[in-house]
């Protein structure tokens, strides 16, 4: 379980950043950064969890 902690944290942070980007209208650069960073972290968490499970 300890080896899956990092990918799970990345998934949660990515999901929260995506939710924040879609629910607020602060402005163009801030929303775009939150959306892209959230998507990147979410997909990185999925990829890392698959790699960690296969080890």
């Amino acid at each position: 379980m300890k080896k899956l902690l990092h990918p799970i944290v990345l998934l949660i942070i990515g999901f929260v950043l995506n939710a924040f980007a879609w629910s607020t209208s602060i402005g163009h650069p801030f929303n775009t950064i939150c959306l892209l960073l959230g998507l990147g972290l979410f997909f990185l968490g999925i990829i890392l969890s698959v790699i960690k499970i296969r080890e």
Side-chain angles (χ1 to χ4, degrees), residues 3-53:
K3 67 180 183 178
L4 284 178
L5 183 65
H6 187 245
I8 290 173
V9 169
L10 288 177
L11 280 168
I12 292 170
I13 292 173
F15 184 78
V16 168
L17 279 175
N18 277 330
F20 184 73
W22 283 103
S23 64
T24 61
S25 59
I26 293 174
H28 166 63
F30 188 70
N31 276 352
T32 305
I33 290 170
C34 284
L35 180 67
L36 293 178
L37 186 63
L39 283 174
L41 288 174
F42 186 77
F43 287 122
L44 183 66
I46 290 174
I47 292 168
L48 282 178
S49 65
V50 168
I51 290 172
K52 298 278 184 171
I53 289 173

